[in-house]
Amino acid sequence: MEIKIIYKNLCPNCGRNISSERLIKGLACEFCLPKETDELNSGFLSKIEERNKKLKDFEELFERVIKGKMWALQIFWVRRFLEGESFALIAPTGSGKTTIQIILSLYTAKYLKKRCLIILPTSLLVHEVSEKLKKFNEELDLNVQIASYHSLLSQKEKMKEIEKIDYSEIVVTTHLSVMKREEINRKIFDIAFIDDVDSFLKRSKAIRFVLRMLNLPEKIKNIAENIFENKINQKEGISEILKIKEGENINSQLIVSGATQKVKKTKSIAILNSIFGFSIGLKPEFGRNILDCFIYSENTMKEKILDLVKKIGSGFLIFIPMDKGSQFALELENFLLENGIKVKSFLKPDKKSFEDFKNGVIDGLIGMATAKSPLVRGIDLPERIRYAIFSGVPKFIVRIKVENFHPTRWLMLLNNIQPAIKDIYKKDYENLVTDLSKLKSLTKEQIEEVRNGLVENKTLKGILEFAKNVALKGIEFFKKIMEDEDVLKAIKESPTISLGLEKDEYIFLVSDYVAYLQASGRTSRLYVGGITKGLSIVIIDEQKAFNSLKKDLGYFEEIEWKDLNEIDIQKVIEEINEDRKKVKLATEGKLKIEETKIYLKTRLFIVESPTKVKTIARFFGKPSKKKYDGVDVYEVFGANSLLMITASKGHITDLSLNEGLFGIEVNETFIPYFKPIKRCLNCGNEMEEEETSCVCGNTKFYDSEIRIEILRKIASLVDEVIIGTDPDSEGEKIGFDLFLLLKPLNGNIKRVRFHEVTKREILKV
Ligand SMILES: [Zn+2]
Ligand SMILES: [Zn+2]
């Protein structure tokens, strides 16, 4: 016998009681739908149906002009937009965010009767976007009035556009014109699309104008203005804005695209957060789909590289390990040029070489293999970069001398030699690691100061004096262990520690897994069709350093190293080329979903605790965060999807004591009643649904009903819901509740069980 359950006050449509029978069918309660086949005419579910109808209309417009289907990400953005949300569009290559914004503004102006403002960073972009707007407007026969203003227009054209602004439903312009032209910034709009939010945020004045131009309650505008003018305290002002928002709906929307390079907690960001409820995220780090290979060099390093680039062809990056020095990069450049390979060294950021490489004028670039190298940081060309060659294992030399003091490198060395440390040195070892860890954030200049202080035996101030003492302690520690014959023997025999001699002094070669991950990562990027395949080849120059690289990487990524001689290189090259073609099509907006094997989905991932949410989100780079009524939701790209990760925060329902016998109705069958959890925030007392104050007198409480509502709302936005509650009996109960309560909002719900919270485990499930 199936046990029937009643959920009190949890009908997704009306908030009355609902049975598990109705929920599992994805339906509303008997009150909303007396017969299962009836149609809803009001309530939450019917609103979602309405939204889905609008989405259908929108899809039709989209398909008529684009001649293809929308990507899952685009559908997700449109749903959020129709929901009235403000948000940041963070998108991988080729997901067509400009296209979506253009069609959205046309749709909104025409059918929702709202005025749109589109702000772009450059005049050229304004020109391009407005041309597209006009083209689509015509093709779809919408008759929407569009004005565009930018500096490339002639004086006469400018006048004409300015006149049009008054009655235009869409206005497109630049960041700068918004600030400069009163004819534009005196107007009021319902929706603002801001492109390239990073450069926009640098102009706090521009944000003030946009806030003034949006259709917001005057009270909020005044407070924001006063915060900017320093007339009121930021914290007080923001809490006032939040209070106003409780009583009044914000009808205007702000859609920004792009992410910031660095999140600074500026006034502007704090104000935007409070009004629109979203945080502007950091640039996400995307996934990895790389074939990691190694090969030994039977002739010289340079000849081996020549051999490889001749075989695999154009579109390569060559990384030189730090221990070989930049001189080697220049020598290699000459050698390859002499042999007819078009290549350029890239030791400093250099626009010309970048463009030449991008356009295929040259075949590859040569740079240093460090996390800070411009070739590692500044190059994002997924359609162009096909493979990476490491001219030796990425590594650096560590010298234990005052003039070579370097906290992070010393730490990496300590990590490297850890297996050789005898018990009697363990305590000193741990202390040194702890102290050096405190110095990780020292700048280059500060480290230089410490070195000088050491050489000249000067007293320094604060953290620098501390650093000086740590350096001395480090030198003493190494001297002590290297004089111990057991340790020295263990180091020499270790398969992962490479020790060398330089003028009678010991030096260490330490492999740099961070540099390897980031440098090889250039060959594989997330785009709308999935993650491109990349190839990375390490030419082994030092076996021990390679062993150590393999070991260190093992903690982060599941990498299966392959001998280059044992793989079918032609097949790999074909796969790589296939993906490059697709990326190119995607960036031109010509790639169709049907032509991809996998593509990005949108998923809601629910775990039990907020701490776990954070841990998981961080596996996939720096997440962006959005608050829904006090519930934190993290957004990341991972596992071929846009993941929205949030927590159930433990149980979401509990037996109701008001019904029958301890919440169980006993007639002919047993029917348990479950209710949302309401708990006093002061004393922790569990409260009944209808109680508005606790026995302790407190009126503030945690209510799982709010969380359920938010989970339902997000579930209605995504392709799939994944329930990842713990694999114990409590987790199963929470998962069961979630499944039933979310079913009416999303037909695709999966249960996953992971036993440890590691990236590997999560990608697996
Ligand atoms: Zn109902
Ligand atoms: Zn209480």
Side-chain angles (χ1 to χ4, degrees):
M1 183 193 70
E2 282 260 341
I3 296 180
K4 178 175 158 179
I5 299 169
I6 303 288
Y7 283 96
K8 281 185 78 182
N9 304 337
L10 284 171
C11 167
N13 198 50
C14 70
R16 290 183 176 82
N17 295 357
I18 184 163
S19 71
S20 52
E21 295 164 334
R22 278 294 174 105
L23 286 169
I24 206 156
K25 288 180 187 155
L27 297 171
C29 73
E30 277 86 0
F31 182 88
C32 294
L33 280 182
K35 270 189 283 163
E36 287 185 6
T37 48
D38 286 347
E39 263 186 46
L40 291 169
N41 43 32
S42 66
F44 184 69
L45 283 182
S46 82
K47 267 195 202 141
I48 286 175
E49 275 175 19
E50 223 172 275
R51 193 188 73 201
N52 287 341
K53 264 181 219 147
K54 284 185 191 161
L55 176 67
K56 276 253 142 30
D57 295 341
F58 182 88
E59 253 178 325
E60 205 203 295
L61 289 188
F62 183 95
E63 286 172 18
R64 263 167 63 201
V65 281
I66 304 298
K67 317 261 183 300
K69 293 211 170 301
M70 276 200 275
W71 296 101
L73 262 180
Q74 292 176 320
I75 294 174
F76 174 67
W77 293 330
V78 176
R79 283 196 187 124
R80 282 178 104 167
F81 181 83
L82 294 173
E83 188 63 34
E85 270 189 42
S86 292
F87 56 96
L89 290 175
I90 298 169
T93 307
S95 26
K97 61 181 187 199
T98 314
T99 310
I100 271 296
Q101 292 185 66
I102 289 173
I103 305 175
L104 262 182
S105 61
L106 284 169
Y107 174 86
T108 310
K110 178 75 183 181
Y111 298 103
L112 308 179
K113 304 277 173 239
K114 288 183 174 178
R115 275 191 105 190
C116 301
L117 172 68
I118 302 178
I119 312 175
L120 303 158
T122 66
S123 293
L124 201 61
L125 272 170
V126 172
H127 171 75
E128 277 173 27
V129 166
S130 58
E131 287 304 301
K132 246 193 189 162
L133 267 168
K134 285 172 198 159
K135 185 172 160 258
F136 290 173
N137 193 22
E138 222 163 88
E139 282 177 25
L140 295 168
D141 213 5
L142 295 176
N143 257 322
V144 170
Q145 295 296 326
I146 302 161
S148 70
Y149 184 92
H150 56 88
S151 61
L152 298 175
L153 297 174
S154 70
Q155 210 49 41
K156 218 173 121 194
E157 287 169 319
K158 279 185 184 168
M159 295 304 290
K160 217 179 102 199
E161 293 298 316
I162 289 281
E163 269 170 37
K164 267 169 51 184
I165 285 175
D166 259 341
Y167 56 88
S168 283
E169 294 147 294
I170 301 176
V171 174
V172 198
T173 190
T174 59
H175 294 172
L176 225 62
S177 305
V178 161
M179 297 193 286
K180 281 194 178 155
R181 304 296 307 204
E182 278 199 358
E183 298 92 329
I184 302 174
N185 65 39
R186 293 276 156 131
K187 302 286 179 295
I188 298 288
F189 296 86
D190 301 296
I191 291 157
F193 295 93
I194 301 177
D195 198 21
D196 191 4
V197 69
D198 201 24
S199 71
F200 189 77
L201 282 174
K202 290 195 184 111
R203 304 185 163 121
S204 79
K205 243 178 105 187
I207 294 167
R208 293 171 68 171
F209 280 112
V210 170
L211 285 179
R212 249 182 260 163
M213 291 162 78
L214 277 170
N215 191 6
L216 293 166
E218 280 305 314
K219 281 180 283 182
I220 288 186
K221 288 189 187 186
N222 290 337
I223 295 169
E225 198 57 31
N226 284 335
I227 300 176
F228 277 121
E229 301 260 314
N230 287 323
K231 283 184 189 154
I232 51 171
N233 170 289
Q234 179 177 327
K235 225 173 158 189
E236 282 167 27
I238 281 174
S239 74
E240 242 177 279
I241 291 176
L242 294 176
K243 219 177 280 161
I244 296 171
K245 272 178 66 187
E246 279 174 25
E248 238 168 303
N249 275 337
I250 303 289
N251 289 319
S252 67
Q253 283 168 268
L254 179 68
I255 315 293
V256 303
S257 65
T260 49
Q261 295 287 358
K262 269 184 204 153
V263 167
K264 285 200 207 105
K265 294 241 156 82
T266 62
K267 232 180 233 179
S268 324
I269 291 182
I271 293 171
L272 288 182
N273 280 354
S274 68
I275 301 177
F276 298 104
F278 68 95
S279 72
I280 289 158
L282 286 160
K283 225 162 226 168
E285 285 157 37
F286 295 134
R288 195 169 191 280
N289 174 21
I290 298 172
L291 184 63
D292 299 275
C293 296
F294 63 89
I295 190 161
Y296 293 91
S297 173
E298 56 280 1
N299 32 28
T300 71
M301 181 64 80
K302 288 176 197 157
E303 277 161 0
K304 186 78 217 170
I305 291 171
L306 177 64
D307 189 39
L308 287 170
V309 299
K310 273 189 175 164
K311 200 182 323 177
I312 311 175
S314 188
F316 58 84
L317 303 179
I318 299 174
F319 294 100
I320 312 294
M322 285 301 277
D323 62 306
K324 289 205 169 60
S326 53
Q327 188 52 38
F328 185 77
L330 300 173
E331 284 169 30
L332 181 65
E333 179 186 2
N334 283 333
F335 176 79
L336 291 175
L337 284 171
E338 279 163 20
N339 284 281
I341 306 290
K342 282 173 267 163
V343 70
K344 191 90 182 45
S345 57
F346 200 79
L347 302 170
K348 270 183 264 166
D350 162 7
K351 205 163 176 203
K352 170 91 172 46
S353 307
F354 176 81
E355 289 294 326
D356 283 351
F357 177 59
K358 185 179 164 190
N359 300 324
V361 178
I362 54 176
D363 295 318
L365 297 170
I366 306 175
M368 301 308 291
T370 70
K372 284 184 180 154
S373 156
L375 196 59
V376 173
R377 296 183 116 192
I379 308 267
D380 191 13
L381 296 169
E383 74 284 4
R384 183 73 182 110
I385 300 169
R386 294 168 64 241
Y387 62 107
I389 297 176
F390 290 83
S391 163
V393 179
K395 59 187 168 323
F396 42 80
I397 299 171
V398 180
R399 297 177 178 88
I400 306 296
K401 289 201 271 189
V402 286
E403 59 270 36
N404 299 105
F405 174 60
H406 198 304
T408 50
R409 290 190 177 174
W410 285 20
L411 270 172
M412 283 170 95
L413 171 62
L414 284 168
N415 174 50
N416 193 225
I417 62 166
Q418 197 259 343
I421 301 297
K422 286 202 308 201
D423 280 348
I424 45 163
Y425 304 120
K426 277 269 149 73
K427 205 162 163 265
D428 288 345
Y429 176 90
E430 303 287 343
N431 285 339
L432 187 56
V433 168
T434 313
D435 286 347
L436 284 167
S437 301
K438 289 178 192 154
L439 301 171
K440 273 188 191 165
S441 56
L442 288 189
T443 63
K444 228 173 149 184
E445 291 74 29
Q446 284 176 314
I447 291 175
E448 201 48 50
E449 251 185 88
V450 176
R451 288 176 183 170
N452 287 337
L454 285 160
V455 173
E456 293 162 22
N457 203 9
K458 264 195 319 216
T459 309
L460 303 172
K461 274 189 202 141
I463 182 104
L464 299 186
E465 179 65 16
F466 172 72
K468 213 181 84 188
N469 291 324
V470 175
L472 292 172
K473 232 164 74 179
I475 290 168
E476 199 186 314
F477 174 78
F478 276 102
K479 190 161 172 266
K480 195 166 63 190
I481 59 163
M482 295 306 283
E483 277 168 3
D484 184 321
E485 272 175 35
D486 297 337
V487 178
L488 194 60
K489 187 161 170 270
I491 286 179
K492 282 181 175 160
E493 284 171 3
S494 152
T496 53
I497 309 171
S498 10
L499 184 68
L501 266 177
E502 192 183 68
K503 293 178 202 139
D504 291 337
E505 298 221 34
Y506 286 119
I507 55 165
F508 295 88
L509 282 172
V510 178
S511 66
D512 189 348
Y513 66 91
V514 179
Y516 180 75
L517 268 185
Q518 296 192 354
S520 62
R522 301 285 110 192
T523 66
S524 166
R525 303 309 272 168
L526 186 82
Y527 77 115
V528 68
I531 303 172
T532 60
K533 175 128 193 152
L535 172 66
S536 165
I537 303 166
V538 176
I539 304 173
I540 297 177
D541 56 343
E542 242 285 324
Q543 186 62 45
K544 282 187 170 190
F546 183 61
N547 294 344
S548 145
L549 178 74
K550 278 204 293 197
K551 194 179 114 217
D552 290 342
L553 281 170
Y555 298 119
F556 297 90
E557 295 280 336
E558 194 156 13
I559 290 181
E560 223 182 290
W561 288 93
K562 292 265 163 63
D563 184 334
L564 189 65
N565 292 318
E566 281 163 21
I567 62 163
D568 182 349
I569 187 79
Q570 280 316 319
K571 200 175 144 245
V572 175
I573 292 174
E574 270 165 39
E575 280 174 38
I576 289 174
N577 293 347
E578 189 58 30
D579 277 356
R580 299 307 176 275
K581 266 186 228 153
K582 283 185 188 161
V583 174
K584 196 157 180 298
L585 284 173
T587 49
E588 290 163 0
K590 290 180 191 153
L591 184 69
K592 305 281 186 293
I593 296 174
E594 305 81 70
E595 295 162 33
T596 60
K597 274 177 274 161
I598 37 161
Y599 74 103
L600 290 173
K601 277 190 175 178
T602 55
R603 295 180 163 118
L604 167 63
F605 187 19
I606 309 169
V607 294
E608 276 177 47
S609 81
T611 344
K612 223 176 249 178
V613 171
K614 265 191 226 163
T615 314
I616 295 171
R618 288 197 184 127
F619 289 150
F620 303 101
K622 289 188 174 134
S624 79
K625 189 168 90 174
K626 190 173 154 94
K627 253 192 198 317
Y628 288 85
D629 275 336
V631 176
D632 287 340
V633 181
Y634 286 78
E635 274 182 48
V636 292
F637 285 99
N640 265 309
S641 50
L642 171 76
L643 285 174
M644 302 191 70
I645 312 174
T646 191
S648 71
K649 236 184 163 187
H651 282 287
I652 50 170
T653 69
D654 199 359
L655 269 180
S656 165
L657 302 182
N658 278 0
E659 310 290 332
L661 189 65
F662 300 110
I664 298 172
E665 197 180 302
V666 220
N667 281 330
E668 282 162 28
T669 49
F670 292 89
I671 303 177
Y673 276 70
F674 285 101
K675 61 172 175 67
I677 292 170
K678 201 165 169 182
R679 204 182 303 118
C680 170
L681 282 178
N682 181 39
C683 68
N685 183 25
E686 284 235 2
M687 297 158 69
E688 279 303 315
E689 196 60 22
E690 48 289 343
E691 289 178 90
T692 50
S693 71
C694 175
V695 280
C696 78
N698 184 27
T699 53
K700 290 220 160 97
F701 35 80
Y702 167 77
D703 191 346
S704 71
E705 201 176 337
I706 295 170
R707 196 164 283 263
I708 293 168
E709 252 170 54
I710 289 158
L711 291 175
R712 281 176 157 166
K713 188 172 146 183
I714 302 171
S716 82
L717 296 172
V718 296
D719 297 329
E720 192 175 271
V721 178
I722 299 170
I723 297 172
T725 49
D726 296 348
D728 54 19
S729 62
E730 301 218 349
E732 295 301 339
K733 161 75 168 72
I734 301 167
F736 178 73
D737 280 349
L738 283 170
F739 175 78
L740 285 176
L741 295 172
L742 299 180
K743 193 76 207 299
L745 287 303
N746 195 312
N748 296 318
I749 304 183
K750 281 190 185 135
R751 169 81 168 111
V752 297
R753 292 173 181 83
F754 50 92
H755 295 268
E756 15 156 24
V757 187
T758 61
K759 184 174 178 181
R760 198 177 296 180
E761 181 79 8
I762 286 178
L763 287 175
K764 209 173 78 196
V765 297

